[in-house]
Amino acid sequence: MARLYESRKRILVTGGAGFLGSHLIDRLIDQGHEVLCVDNLFTGTKRNVDHLHDEPRFEFMRHDVTQPLVVEVDEIYNLACPASPIHYQHDPVQTTKTSVHGAINMLGLAKRLKCKIFQASTSEVYGDPNVHPQPEEYWGNVNPIGPRSCYDEGKRCAETLFFDYHRQHALEIKVARIFNTYGPRMHHADGRVVSNFIVQALQGQDITIYGDGSQTRSFCFASDLIEGFLRLMATGTDVTGPVNLGNPGEFTMLELAETVIELTGSKSKLTFMDLPADDPKQRRPDISKAKELLDWTPTIELKEGLTNTIAYFERRLPEIMGR
């Protein structure tokens, strides 16, 4: 027990009541750390961390990262930002502020505390890529004035800030570029393809496919991604990132829809709608750096992860349907 206490850290997780943030907090608590969860609950929900209510090493603070935060911690994971198009396009100015002002505030806190800080960046920094799969060296193909720009360019600017703080103030940074991730605790109405398909299939509704369904994505299960977070954060000062974290398995939207129908036993049909503006046609990570630097590779196959996620949404279906 003494050894555990000596290694215990007080860790700040912004966006901690969100899908990924809550899974990260679970792992940090399991490792024996104290966790301060900061979230404004715009897309996060207390339901994701309710199971930690009686955990003495867990603390929740409702706070918006666009405002300064004065706390004392040993490490920071900055995950605060709506990540689905429906949510980040709802208030695009606030989305940009969350990425940019939030990064400035968290970097300023890390500078004062002289502590390590992690940035949850995104594969969206690559835009609609002309290079496939996407390595970290690719600078991207991003529309700076489109409807997705508030998120794409906000995250790109946050990366800029992280590396400038690293160069100018010798701040220890870790930057992960997250590719499509799924699993329990996803928001049922966030417009992401996995949650959309599962909820529609469970309700026997038509499954909505945008475009002709030939566009591809790579899907990483939440537990695999969080393992990547922890391994990146544990690296030495010589590793800053950015490091791609995602599953290199690539599936079309049609393949995903057919798999969800198979696993749910649904009689749902497919319906097709116009592709949204600037929606990437291909997305698959080159994870060579993650393998080399972190000894990390995903272990959960798509069908296994979907089965787990479907079971979560089945339990929540009466609540989702308002019964």
Side-chain angles (χ1 to χ4, degrees), residues 52-317:
L52 297 170
H53 179 74
D54 295 323
E55 169 54 61
R57 288 179 285 110
F58 173 78
E59 180 183 354
F60 176 82
M61 177 188 294
R62 186 163 184 169
H63 179 84
D64 192 316
V65 295
T66 63
Q67 302 301 316
L69 179 64
V70 180
V71 294
E72 304 298 319
V73 295
D74 302 306
E75 287 183 352
I76 301 170
Y77 285 84
N78 185 37
L79 275 63
C81 190
S84 73
I86 285 178
H87 289 148
Y88 67 62
Q89 291 175 12
H90 173 73
D91 188 345
V93 172
Q94 184 64 24
T95 295
T96 303
K97 285 182 176 179
T98 301
S99 285
V100 178
H101 292 186
I104 291 169
N105 286 330
M106 291 305 106
L107 286 162
L109 178 61
K111 178 188 171 188
R112 178 177 71 81
L113 298 173
K114 297 181 174 59
C115 74
K116 189 186 305 186
I117 181 168
F118 175 101
Q119 168 67 1
S121 191
T122 172
S123 61
E124 296 295 336
V125 300
Y126 299 122
D128 187 3
N130 296 319
V131 173
H132 192 75
Q134 294 80 56
E136 290 86 350
E137 292 76 17
Y138 177 52
W139 290 355
N141 177 40
V142 178
N143 178 358
I145 58 171
R148 301 170 69 101
S149 306
C150 58
Y151 184 69
D152 300 3
E153 296 288 30
K155 288 289 192 177
R156 286 163 68 94
C157 185
E159 285 197 17
T160 300
L161 287 162
F162 266 71
F163 279 90
D164 282 339
Y165 265 78
H166 172 65
R167 285 184 288 258
Q168 188 170 339
H169 302 295
L171 194 63
E172 187 173 359
I173 65 168
K174 309 292 178 183
V175 177
R177 289 179 178 165
I178 303 168
F179 283 68
N180 288 59
T181 307
Y182 69 102
R185 303 181 193 164
M186 295 184 78
H187 194 292
H188 71 276
D190 66 3
R192 294 193 227 196
V193 64
V194 172
S195 51
N196 267 7
F197 285 5
I198 290 175
V199 172
Q200 288 173 334
L202 290 176
Q203 296 183 88
Q205 300 174 348
D206 286 348
I207 289 182
T208 306
I209 293 181
Y210 294 94
D212 62 6
S214 63
Q215 67 271 35
T216 65
R217 295 292 185 273
S218 301
F219 301 103
C220 185
F221 193 63
S223 60
D224 278 336
L225 186 80
I226 299 306
E227 179 65 23
F229 283 10
L230 297 172
R231 291 191 184 202
L232 177 55
M233 196 61 149
T235 56
T237 56
D238 58 324
V239 177
T240 59
V243 175
N244 288 339
L245 294 177
N247 194 317
E250 186 175 10
F251 300 88
T252 67
M253 297 302 94
L254 283 174
E255 288 173 326
L256 178 66
E258 290 164 357
T259 303
V260 168
I261 289 172
E262 173 194 341
L263 293 175
T264 56
S266 175
K267 299 187 184 305
S268 295
K269 306 298 182 184
L270 305 182
T271 184
F272 295 84
M273 299 183 68
D274 291 340
L275 197 65
D278 301 327
D279 192 66
K281 299 174 188 66
Q282 290 180 305
R283 186 61 61 73
R284 177 162 69 93
D286 179 334
I287 61 169
S288 302
K289 279 192 177 180
K291 289 179 178 178
E292 175 189 353
L293 299 174
L294 314 180
D295 191 25
W296 177 88
T297 189
T299 61
I300 307 295
E301 297 293 338
L302 183 64
K303 281 194 174 183
E304 179 185 352
L306 285 176
T307 299
N308 193 310
T309 309
I310 288 166
Y312 167 78
F313 279 112
E314 283 180 328
R315 293 192 296 272
R316 289 204 53 227
L317 195 58

Side-chain angles (χ1 to χ4, degrees), residues 21-58:
S22 63
H23 285 291
L24 172 61
I25 287 173
D26 283 347
R27 286 292 303 276
L28 294 172
I29 292 289
D30 286 346
Q31 290 181 346
H33 300 300
E34 298 178 20
V35 178
L36 172 60
C37 169
V38 167
D39 204 301
N40 68 355
L41 301 181
F42 173 60
T43 59
T45 171
K46 285 187 177 179
R47 180 182 60 245
N48 288 339
V49 291
D50 271 348
H51 61 286
L52 297 170
H53 179 74
D54 295 323
E55 169 54 61
R57 288 179 285 110
F58 173 78

